[in-house]
Amino acid sequence: MGRETRLGLGANWQQFTLLVVVNAFVGAMVGLERTVVPLIAEQDFGIVSRAAILSFIGTFGLVKAIANLFAGRGWLAGVPVPFMVMWGPAWSWIVAANVLLGINQGLAWSTTVIMKIDLVGPRRRGLAMGLNEFAGYVAVGAAALASGLIASRFGLRPEPFYLGIAFVALGLGLSLFFVRDTTDHVRVEADQRESGGTDDASLATDSNRSRDATRSSRLTWRKIFVRTSWKDRSLSSCSQAGLVNNLNDGLAWGLFPLFFASAGLSLDQIATLAAAYPLAWGMLQMGTGALSDYWGRKPLIGLSSFGGWLGASIVLGLGTALVYPTLLAAVGDVAEPSWRASAIGVYRLWRDGGYAVGALAVGLIADALGGEAAILAIAALTVASGLVVALRMPSDTWRARAA
């Protein structure tokens, strides 16, 4: 007799914990690049243009954004990445490695997100996303710090990227041999919604959104894309906020190490600053994700020295922590189980497209007007994004309180 399929964090804690660990390895792969790769462009390959240097982030973001639409197991695409970065004889090798890294991140990270949402059901979705993003971005920060410290002692290549070989091997092994499919959990939640067996009537909706699961299951991908990108006020607000959020992350990833190096900071100090943002972002997400289950999604979404830069990095991490798990949870709230995975894919298409848009915009502005002007421009765009959320997203975009 088959094992009963149940929703909830407690009922599925073993698989959930395994997915959290897998996501940590996914995040660590990106963290390896945050301190070292921009400096490799400048010091190893003599690239001066900020737009050219940030091309590796733009390539990564574009590929990852598209890969989000086809979420599956993406660890195999990540296998060559550390070797290409370690031994690549030209900058084009680094850019090509980030194509593969984008595939890896888009497939592997998206899949862990979708599977966690499937496992926990609607009641603790914010907490689930907070734990997911906590694991991923604490690993990003830890890997950024570790790679920078290793580089400060042994050089920019190849030693910092030996860690990547271990991350790929562990992530691939866990995903292939221990992770189980969550299709049955999706079916259980869909049945509960259709039968009225949960309190999901209080999930965030526009007043005209249908709750008929049968009709929702017939949505085409094009209709899901339009709904998530523009038509649905909640989903489209999340999509634009996610894009601007990752535009900020692209700025921190690509420009900050160069900005700090030009100010005369040591590699150890640059590594600390590069790690402070994702570490603060990651650690705070456990709390912010859970808070969004009780306070609601919309309130959290709407929200020249080493010491000063460190404080700014931590504040930037706090702002990102407020919105990152909350946006994912909000999309999970609004989308029906039958088309939720596609909606999350479209949201992440826009969100990770922010890397590509940010890399291009930040690089061009920095080349023309300087790094400070690029930072101020992105700050202004972030304020505008918050206003869009405040004005466009319905006030009832939030999860019901857990019973």
Side-chain angles (χ1 to χ4, degrees), residues 61-77 99-100 102-115 221-222 224-225 339-350 352:
L62 181 62
V63 174
K64 184 185 177 188
I66 296 170
N68 285 323
L69 299 176
F70 308 98
R73 297 192 177 193
W75 275 107
L76 289 175
V99 172
L100 297 177
I103 295 172
N104 163 249
Q105 296 287 302
L107 298 182
W109 198 309
S110 290
T111 300
T112 64
V113 167
I114 293 167
M115 294 178 78
W221 187 88
R222 178 181 175 278
I224 295 169
F225 180 85
W339 51 274
R340 183 170 59 211
S342 295
I344 290 172
V346 173
Y347 158 73
R348 286 172 62 86
L349 166 72
W350 289 113
D352 292 325

Side-chain angles (χ1 to χ4, degrees), residues 56 59 77 81 84 90-103:
F56 81 97
T59 303
V81 172
M84 294 176 70
W91 182 243
S92 59
W93 283 61
I94 311 298
V95 174
N98 275 267
V99 172
L100 297 177
L101 184 62
I103 295 172

Side-chain angles (χ1 to χ4, degrees), residues 19-87:
L19 289 168
V20 167
V21 173
V22 169
N23 207 54
F25 291 125
V26 179
M29 287 291 292
V30 172
L32 282 175
E33 294 197 343
R34 292 186 78 96
T35 301
V36 178
V37 170
L39 301 177
I40 289 175
E42 196 169 58
Q43 297 179 24
D44 281 12
F45 297 110
I47 299 175
V48 176
S49 167
R50 297 302 187 247
I53 291 175
L54 268 66
S55 62
F56 81 97
I57 298 177
T59 303
F60 164 82
L62 181 62
V63 174
K64 184 185 177 188
I66 296 170
N68 285 323
L69 299 176
F70 308 98
R73 297 192 177 193
W75 275 107
L76 289 175
V79 171
V81 172
F83 300 99
M84 294 176 70
V85 177
M86 284 191 293
W87 307 115

Side-chain angles (χ1 to χ4, degrees), residues 62-346:
L62 181 62
V63 174
K64 184 185 177 188
I66 296 170
N68 285 323
L69 299 176
F70 308 98
R73 297 192 177 193
W75 275 107
L76 289 175
V79 171
V81 172
F83 300 99
M84 294 176 70
V85 177
M86 284 191 293
W87 307 115
W91 182 243
S92 59
W93 283 61
I94 311 298
V95 174
N98 275 267
V99 172
L100 297 177
L101 184 62
I103 295 172
N104 163 249
Q105 296 287 302
L107 298 182
W109 198 309
S110 290
T111 300
T112 64
V113 167
I114 293 167
M115 294 178 78
K116 289 187 187 75
I117 288 177
D118 294 343
L119 289 171
V120 301
R123 290 179 181 273
R124 306 303 300 277
R125 190 164 281 148
L127 173 61
M129 291 300 92
L131 290 170
N132 178 80
E133 303 301 291
F134 158 79
Y137 286 99
V138 166
V140 168
L145 180 60
S147 63
L149 294 177
I150 292 171
S152 70
R153 286 155 180 76
F154 301 102
L156 296 177
R157 296 194 296 171
E159 287 82 1
F161 298 95
Y162 291 153
L163 293 171
I165 300 172
F167 297 153
V168 169
L170 290 168
L172 178 61
L174 290 174
S175 299
L176 288 179
F177 299 112
F178 297 101
V179 172
R180 297 196 302 268
D181 189 69
T182 56
T183 302
D184 289 342
H185 295 80
V186 177
R187 189 176 298 113
V188 168
E189 184 179 347
D191 290 345
Q192 288 178 350
R193 286 200 183 202
E194 190 171 2
S195 64
T198 70
D199 62 356
D200 279 354
S202 58
L203 292 179
T205 61
D206 285 329
S207 60
N208 63 344
R209 181 181 293 113
S210 171
R211 283 296 179 191
D212 180 62
T214 302
R215 192 182 76 170
S216 294
S217 66
R218 291 198 295 266
L219 285 176
T220 63
W221 187 88
R222 178 181 175 278
K223 290 181 178 178
I224 295 169
F225 180 85
V226 171
R227 178 176 290 197
T228 307
S229 302
W230 174 252
K231 189 174 182 180
D232 187 285
R233 292 163 58 203
S234 294
L235 294 175
S236 62
S237 296
C238 290
S239 294
Q240 69 82 28
L243 185 147
V244 174
N245 186 85
N246 271 11
L247 195 151
N248 274 275
D249 190 32
L251 171 73
W253 179 359
L255 192 60
F256 282 6
L258 302 172
F259 185 75
F260 299 143
S262 68
L265 271 61
S266 68
L267 193 49
D268 283 357
Q269 289 176 314
I270 294 172
T272 300
L273 292 170
Y277 165 49
L279 281 173
W281 168 6
M283 288 187 289
L284 290 167
Q285 285 183 106
M286 282 196 297
T288 57
L291 281 175
S292 76
D293 286 328
Y294 293 93
W295 289 357
R297 314 299 189 206
K298 182 177 178 177
L300 296 187
I301 294 171
L303 297 170
S304 75
S305 64
F306 176 77
W309 287 328
L310 180 60
S313 295
I314 293 173
V315 170
L316 184 59
L318 171 61
T320 306
L322 288 172
V323 301
Y324 225 70
T326 314
L327 288 168
L328 279 168
V331 175
D333 291 344
V334 174
E336 297 283 354
S338 57
W339 51 274
R340 183 170 59 211
S342 295
I344 290 172
V346 173

